[in-house]
Amino acid sequence: MNFSDFASLCYELEKTPSRLAKIASAAAYLKRFKPDEICYGVAFLSGRPFPISDPRTLDIGPSALIEASKIPEGGNSSSTPLTLKDIADSFGKIAEASGKGSRLGKYNLLKELVERADSPERPILLRLLHNELRIGLHDGLIQEAIARASGSDLKAVRRAALFLSDLAEVAAIALTAGMTGLQQVDIKLFVPLLPMLSELSQDFNEIFTAHGGNTALEFKYDGARVQIHKEGDRVRIWSRRLSEVTSSLPEIVEIARRDLQGDSFILDAEVVAVGKDGRPFPFQELMRRFRRIHEVETAANEIPLVLHLFDCLFLNGTSLIDETYTQRWAKLEAITGGKYLALRKITGDKGAAEVFLQEALAAGHEGLMAKALDSPYMPGNRGKLWFKIKPAETVDCVIVSADRGSGRRRGWLSNYHLAVADGSGGFAPVGKTFKGLTDKEFTEMTTRLRELELTDDAYTVTVRPEVVVEVAYNEIQRSPQYSSGFALRFARITRIRDDKSPEQVTTLANLRSLYERQFVSKSRRES
Ligand code: AMP
């Protein structure tokens, strides 16, 4: 297929706001592929130079891209039309150019490619090079287009997408092997799948009812989610967002190799950074470990990690996700011999559950998870099969500005910039949230903020700081992004405090002491 066809499709998709029309055009495009074009054709459609499961990256700096966008046009008229394959081949060569002098080598390849693109093709090529097509075609729509083009069930496409985490691969299977092919897709080792998620609950009675009497309570560790894949000696680890973190976590790799039984497995777990006293570090310190690529050993000494395993999705060649929680836990116990497991208690008694919650909090953890004993593992699913229970803390903030909403929130001012009193008559920003209000409250809040409007840059409206809201959060972090120096993690509005005036909101000094207090139950890294 010619690249000009792809560019025309992009312009068409960019113009049409209709979901159905977008799906129809994308499906027609998919149908025209020859089998070997599918992988890169779908990757391009999702705005990526390479399919997700392809680890290559272009690695071109922003200045080279700016230079490339200035290359004069006119070189393409005599050459043959640019095809999708030409683009994929060039991207491959650019990604593979490495080592000394590769910057220039990459730029020359890029220049050659850009020069071949004619004027309608060029902007689309440049957007692809920036990893962003801006044509309003998110993954959900691409999945629908794949189902339409291949005549398959949307459910089967979605299921395959969960297991393969790569729409290019899903499309390749759907378009060449149809429903039969899709139905054979199963969990694959070394292909991370989306983690199962939970719903927030504050009430054990709600949980016991939803879980049919008894529930499995586990400590909810305040760390980072990891998915560990192992086969023989090979171990790879992915984060909750499915980025690979293997090289940052050597001690977890070592545990998987050395201490756990089973030829092959996929395990779900939380890793927590701990201080010398065994109490958890705040989340931010842990993230430093995750981002660490250099001097991993030093970091491992400074911020040691503890592993808490809580699920087993695959064992010795067989997927376990359709088995019950109880069956999966039994396998997890067998693999670990009881080591590294999340602490848990099975109960249907509210008093016992409360005691267990207090134990978790006293040990510096976030709260509890409650898991239905007969539940399968549902990748990417957030529902009542898993609940999280954690006491929220609140502060009072004033709304200082608001962003316009999009999608379902279009027409509302729905993302609120929150601030605390800075102690000298002004307000210091501590975060943003679009969570917590009902549709009716959003509408009323929009009208109210409009009346307080000071400026409007078409995206953000700044307002007179008068509306006070109670905001729940999970942790206060240090933040260079805000002038206050702090950010509320997972901020959500719990109440509109019309009974309070802006002079009565939480002060920066209060916030600082709340931040410090977090370290009473959590270890602080000595700096
Ligand atoms: P959420 O992601 O909002 O559903 O909250 C659950 C998060 O808690 C998971 O993503 C894990 O990172 C974390 N977590 C900590 N301990 C556990 C546990 N025992 N079971 C499941 N998730 C846990």
Side-chain angles (χ1 to χ4, degrees):
M1 186 188 293
N2 287 339
F3 188 61
S4 60
D5 294 330
F6 175 72
S8 314
L9 172 78
C10 290
Y11 292 123
E12 192 182 320
L13 292 171
E14 188 175 27
K15 266 197 312 239
T16 170
S18 153
R19 230 180 124 261
L20 289 179
K22 279 188 197 284
I23 295 168
S25 312
Y29 163 81
L30 294 176
K31 270 189 178 167
R32 291 177 50 202
F33 284 145
K34 292 195 226 91
D36 59 345
E37 289 175 324
I38 301 173
C39 266
Y40 48 80
V42 174
F44 295 168
L45 195 60
S46 58
R48 293 187 176 85
F50 299 103
I52 288 191
S53 51
D54 185 334
R56 290 178 299 175
T57 53
L58 292 172
D59 209 9
I60 309 175
S63 52
L65 283 174
I66 294 172
E67 280 304 302
S69 67
K70 292 185 199 150
I71 295 170
E73 281 179 29
N76 190 40
S77 50
S78 60
S79 57
T80 46
L82 203 50
T83 62
L84 285 188
K85 183 168 186 316
D86 293 332
I87 305 274
D89 290 347
S90 289
F91 283 176
K93 284 189 201 146
I94 294 174
E96 277 146 31
S98 63
K100 214 167 166 243
S102 66
R103 205 177 271 261
L104 185 62
K106 275 179 192 286
Y107 183 72
N108 288 337
L109 288 163
L110 175 65
K111 183 161 174 275
E112 222 172 87
L113 178 64
V114 172
E115 275 171 348
R116 284 192 62 193
D118 64 19
S119 43
E121 292 168 346
R122 228 173 238 218
I124 300 297
L125 177 59
L126 286 164
R127 286 192 213 173
L128 252 188
L129 289 161
H130 275 101
N131 275 300
E132 201 188 19
L133 278 183
R134 301 195 307 271
I135 52 174
L137 195 72
H138 57 75
D139 284 1
L141 294 183
I142 300 180
Q143 289 175 2
E144 294 203 36
I146 294 171
R148 170 88 64 93
S150 62
S152 323
D153 211 18
L154 179 56
K155 261 198 185 152
V157 172
R158 286 198 179 129
R159 185 177 162 278
L162 281 177
F163 292 165
L164 298 174
S165 298
D166 183 357
L167 289 183
E169 266 191 66
V170 175
I173 294 169
L175 294 167
T176 56
M179 269 303 273
T180 332
L182 288 175
Q183 274 159 351
Q184 282 164 7
V185 172
D186 205 344
I187 292 192
K188 272 211 293 199
L189 265 173
F190 304 114
V191 178
L193 54 156
L194 288 172
M196 180 159 171
L197 302 173
S198 61
E199 213 171 81
L200 188 67
S201 172
Q202 310 285 3
D203 176 11
F204 286 112
N205 288 332
E206 173 195 14
I207 295 171
F208 295 141
T209 310
H211 292 180
N214 277 345
T215 190
L217 297 173
E218 295 171 9
F219 271 25
K220 181 178 190 328
Y221 298 96
D222 189 10
R225 187 96 173 243
V226 288
Q227 199 176 101
I228 307 170
H229 293 228
K230 182 196 107 129
E231 184 172 41
D233 251 3
R234 195 167 160 225
V235 176
R236 291 177 71 186
I237 306 176
W238 282 270
S239 73
R240 174 187 170 126
R241 293 186 156 181
L242 310 189
S243 48
E244 184 163 3
V245 290
T246 314
S247 56
S248 307
L249 307 177
E251 65 268 61
I252 307 296
V253 171
E254 196 46 32
I255 290 174
R257 277 208 192 111
R258 192 195 55 214
D259 288 356
L260 307 179
Q261 308 297 312
D263 296 331
S264 63
F265 54 65
I266 301 178
L267 305 179
D268 198 358
E270 188 86 350
V271 289
V272 182
V274 286
K276 292 200 179 70
D277 55 0
R279 301 184 78 80
F281 276 123
F283 184 73
Q284 257 174 319
E285 299 293 336
L286 177 62
M287 283 299 106
R288 290 179 33 181
R289 271 298 308 268
F290 268 60
R291 284 193 295 266
R292 197 69 171 241
I293 302 168
H294 306 292
E295 297 174 44
V296 172
E297 296 276 316
T298 324
N301 283 332
E302 284 174 3
I303 313 176
L305 299 181
V306 174
L307 176 67
H308 300 285
L309 295 166
F310 52 77
D311 219 314
C312 178
L313 320 187
F314 180 96
L315 181 60
N316 298 337
T318 309
S319 161
L320 304 182
I321 63 169
D322 295 321
E323 296 199 3
T324 64
Y325 168 87
T326 307
Q327 290 163 327
R328 297 196 310 278
W329 187 276
K331 301 222 160 95
L332 191 60
E333 268 183 328
I335 296 173
T336 57
K339 270 167 86 183
Y340 305 110
L341 290 181
L343 280 181
R344 72 166 199 163
K345 181 181 208 73
I346 296 177
T347 184
D349 179 72
K350 200 171 173 193
E354 297 283 1
V355 170
F356 198 52
L357 173 61
Q358 290 315 317
E359 281 172 30
L361 296 174
H365 304 298
E366 263 193 303
L368 296 177
M369 299 293 295
K371 301 182 179 177
L373 296 170
D374 56 0
S375 57
Y377 190 93
M378 301 179 75
N381 183 73
R382 187 185 292 284
K384 295 184 188 307
L385 295 175
W386 284 16
F387 282 107
K388 57 186 158 197
I389 307 112
K390 53 185 174 189
E393 302 222 34
T394 62
V395 283
D396 292 323
C397 295
V398 65
I399 297 178
V400 287
S401 51
D403 300 333
R404 284 186 164 71
S406 61
R408 213 180 70 74
R409 300 196 174 89
R410 186 176 295 273
W412 292 334
L413 291 175
S414 59
N415 194 19
Y416 306 113
H417 300 218
L418 308 163
V420 294
D422 66 3
S424 44
F427 294 99
V430 291
K432 292 186 208 176
T433 188
F434 54 82
K435 296 206 173 120
L437 297 192
T438 62
D439 286 6
K440 185 164 170 277
E441 285 169 330
F442 270 129
T443 317
E444 289 166 1
M445 184 64 88
T446 303
T447 315
R448 235 174 125 182
L449 293 177
R450 280 289 178 200
E451 284 163 11
L452 300 171
E453 179 175 326
L454 294 172
T455 62
D456 182 354
D457 69 1
Y459 185 73
T460 304
V461 175
T462 55
V463 296
R464 283 206 304 279
E466 287 185 13
V467 180
V468 177
V469 285
E470 180 184 271
V471 178
Y473 62 90
N474 291 57
E475 190 169 273
I476 303 169
Q477 295 185 311
R478 282 221 165 268
S479 165
Q481 193 191 337
Y482 293 115
S483 57
S484 66
F486 296 102
L488 302 177
R489 182 169 167 238
F490 289 151
R492 54 204 180 270
I493 296 177
T494 40
R495 270 191 296 168
I496 300 168
R497 296 298 304 257
D498 285 331
D499 56 325
K500 284 205 169 182
S501 70
E503 291 74 42
Q504 292 171 301
V505 298
T506 304
T507 63
L508 194 50
N510 290 150
L511 195 72
R512 191 169 295 117
S513 58
L514 288 170
Y515 171 78
E516 291 292 330
R517 221 180 59 197
Q518 293 180 163
F519 298 108
V520 176
S521 65
K522 294 182 177 184
S523 269
R524 186 194 332 217
R525 202 170 110 83
E526 300 113 46
S527 46

